[in-house]
Structure formats: C-alpha cells, structure tokens
Amino acid sequence: MQSNDKLLQLNLLVLRNGFLDKYQLDSRHYILSGLLGEALFSDFVSRYGHKSWAIYSDYWFNYGKRMQADFLLVTSERWLVVEVKHYDGRFEYKGNECYLNDKLMDDNYLLAMDLRVKKIRHMAQELNQDIVVEGLFVFIHENSEAKVHLDYALDFDVKLRNELKGFLSQLKRTDNRQLSDGHLRKVDAVLDKYRVKNPFLPKPIKQEDWAGLTKGINCCTCDSFDLAYRHKTVICNDCGAIERKDAAILRMAEQVRILFYGEDYAVTGARVYELCDKRISINAIHKVLRDSRK
C-alpha cells in the first residue's frame, strides 16, 4: 500500500506525541481507508487486467476546475476514469444527495464523478477524437452496498467489489492490443499539460508543537526510543535491531522534512541534532547531511 506525506506526518506525531486531536484522527482514518481501497483496486487490475495497460494514480488536473482522479486506466481502446470508495456500509444516492448508512454526506460524489469524466474526455480528444473515455465508480469494501436512484443515465458505471473481476476480465478481452511507447508518450504529454499539484499537503508543525515532541532516535524496526549508542551504530535495547549511525541520521533528517513539510530549508543540522536528543554530535550530523547532498 502506497503512502503519502500527510499520513507520514500524522504517524510521526503519533510516534512522538502519543496522540492526535479529533481532526487529525479523522484525517488519518480517511487517508488510511482511501489508500487501502486504492491498493485493493490496483491488485484487481494487476490480477485481472492486461499487462500492457498503463495506470496513473492520484492524478490532479485543472481543466477549467481543479479536480482529482484516483486512477486513470489507459487501455488500447479507452481511458477509464476511476473513483474508488472504501465505504463500510450502505451508500445511497437519492434526491441528488449522497447518504452513507442513512447519514447525509458533505459532498455529491456522483455529480463530481460525472464532471470529472467529461473534463478528461475533452482532454483525451486533444490527442485523438476517437478515444473512448468512460468512468468507473467502485465501492471496493467487502461490506459495501450501493443504491442509486436516478431519472437519467450516469456517464459512468457503478460497480461493487464482487463485480470488479468480471468487469476487468471483460475489458481485458476487448482492450487487448499492445500499447506502444509512442502512444503513451502522447498520453503523458496531454496529462502533463493539465497536471497540477495536490493541494491537500501537510503543513509545517508549529514551533510549540515541535518543542513538545518526544526527542531521540526511534528504532528502525520497532520504533522504541530505548537505544544504545555505539561508535558507528545504534542498537535497540528492546528488539536488538542494529542501524548504522549515518543511516539513522538520514532517517531523522527525513522526519524533520516531513514534520516541517513545505518549509524552505526545513532540514537543518540544528533541528536534526535536537530531534536526535543531542545523542549524536552535531559535527557528525553536519557531515552526513553534507555528504548526502553531493
């Protein structure tokens, strides 16, 4: 399962703070659930799709409006715009509103999906007017149910997890021509033209939050802070894992980068020294950081 920097920052705050506030807990749950759903979909494509298909994940684009596609699956015949929801329970769409387990949801995910497919269809036609662009909205949790009440047709298919194997297998039988490198370069050129950065990135933590974090090197295996410091290694007193000091320093530098995400010159020797609880000399830290930038 892939990770992302926002989740990494939340996990670091749990490791070094011991708790998250309600907003952070909800955010962490949402990210984990989304990543699990996307990992399940990727596994389905790997098992039942065609080996030449190209799959683009977490594609952010701006075509008159900034939007995101969980996946864009490019086959020999079409572009398939995919939205994956890992909802545990009953999803229902009625009166142009989304409900999960009878609770009204904040966003209209189906209307957003309809617009997403239309926008990407216009993008694809810049490459070739004959490209078929379709949508697939997948409820991939094993306990998902979905009922959609509409008086008009959607511009995409809605599938449950138990229908996904058959859908991809059928697609594999029809979209089975090999994709050429030249064609994929043209696809990349169109996607890059409209690609934008993910706006939902972590923010650097505040100085008072930094001051309250548990300092020290955590074990690379079990995350314990009970380490023995040797000349060139650190050894975990709990699980016995051994790590070279230079590797530990670079790992702490990466933690500093995540904690102060997006800040100019976030990683400094002084911050890494403080995060290490001053158990490693600042001269050694500066040397490792210098060497890593060569």
Side-chain angles (χ1 to χ4, degrees):
M1 186 170 67
Q2 66 175 341
S3 188
N4 65 36
D5 287 337
K6 192 167 185 178
L7 179 61
L8 290 173
Q9 188 185 78
L10 290 169
N11 286 341
L12 279 176
L13 292 175
V14 172
L15 173 68
R16 294 186 175 275
N17 205 14
F19 68 92
L20 297 174
D21 61 32
K22 185 180 185 306
Y23 173 80
Q24 291 170 326
L25 283 171
D26 289 345
S27 179
R28 187 169 182 261
H29 171 77
Y30 178 80
I31 294 170
L32 284 169
S33 179
L35 289 174
L36 179 56
E38 291 166 16
L40 287 169
F41 179 79
S42 295
D43 183 59
F44 269 89
V45 174
S46 176
R47 292 165 64 187
Y48 305 114
H50 195 279
K51 63 181 180 180
S52 78
W53 291 351
I55 187 165
Y56 301 83
S57 62
D58 195 26
Y59 174 60
W60 282 91
F61 64 98
N62 191 329
Y63 192 91
K65 180 179 181 179
R66 185 168 57 188
M67 303 188 77
Q68 181 259 6
D70 286 341
F71 293 98
L72 184 59
L73 185 63
V74 177
T75 77
S76 58
E77 309 295 330
R78 76 199 72 227
W79 290 13
L80 186 67
V81 185
V82 183
E83 179 76 5
V84 179
K85 296 299 184 187
H86 192 247
Y87 295 149
D88 183 356
R90 183 181 65 259
F91 175 91
E92 190 170 8
Y93 189 74
K94 56 185 180 181
N96 290 323
E97 299 280 7
C98 297
Y99 295 83
L100 182 62
N101 297 322
D102 297 321
K103 183 179 179 181
L104 179 65
M105 305 181 78
D106 292 334
D107 297 313
N108 193 323
Y109 296 105
L110 297 196
L111 283 184
M113 178 63 173
D114 205 60
L115 180 61
R116 184 182 298 119
V117 174
K118 287 178 170 60
K119 296 286 189 182
I120 291 180
R121 181 174 292 130
H122 287 302
M123 292 162 51
Q125 288 173 349
E126 294 186 14
L127 176 61
N128 187 324
Q129 288 286 329
D130 296 327
I131 290 177
V132 176
V133 177
E134 297 175 335
L136 176 64
F137 201 109
V138 183
F139 294 93
I140 205 161
H141 195 286
E142 59 184 357
N143 297 326
S144 285
E145 302 174 30
K147 292 184 179 180
V148 177
H149 308 281
L150 281 175
D151 297 326
Y152 53 90
L154 294 168
D155 203 14
F156 54 92
D157 287 323
V158 176
K159 298 293 182 184
L160 298 176
R161 178 173 176 163
N162 60 6
E163 300 173 302
L164 192 53
K165 175 183 176 181
F167 177 88
L168 292 171
S169 298
Q170 175 61 30
L171 202 63
K172 182 179 180 180
R173 287 191 288 271
T174 58
D175 296 23
N176 54 18
R177 289 190 292 111
Q178 186 76 22
L179 284 167
S180 70
D181 291 341
H183 179 76
L184 287 177
R185 282 194 294 270
K186 292 177 181 178
V187 172
D188 288 338
V190 171
L191 296 181
D192 287 343
K193 180 179 178 180
Y194 297 102
R195 189 187 304 273
V196 294
K197 291 183 178 180
N198 180 350
F200 300 108
L201 295 173
K203 297 179 181 179
I205 64 171
K206 298 177 182 178
Q207 191 58 41
E208 55 266 32
D209 296 326
W210 165 257
L213 295 182
T214 297
K215 303 302 193 296
I217 297 175
N218 59 299
C219 173
C220 61
T221 300
C222 74
D223 279 334
S224 169
F225 288 97
D226 185 10
L227 303 183
Y229 292 78
R230 300 291 185 261
H231 177 54
K232 291 186 177 181
T233 61
V234 290
I235 304 171
C236 180
N237 291 324
D238 285 342
C239 73
I242 301 174
E243 184 179 24
R244 289 180 56 91
K245 271 188 179 178
D246 54 358
I249 290 169
L250 291 176
R251 192 160 54 83
M252 294 305 100
E254 176 63 9
Q255 290 189 19
V256 169
R257 183 190 74 83
I258 293 295
L259 289 168
F260 291 95
Y261 193 93
E263 186 178 287
D264 292 337
Y265 310 109
V267 179
T268 65
R271 279 179 173 167
V272 176
Y273 180 57
E274 185 176 351
L275 191 65
C276 292
D277 201 25
K278 304 178 181 179
R279 298 297 303 273
I280 297 178
S281 77
I282 194 164
N283 289 335
I285 290 171
H286 280 305
K287 181 179 185 307
V288 170
L289 293 180
R290 280 197 308 270
D291 290 346
S292 71
R293 293 172 183 139
K294 291 180 181 179

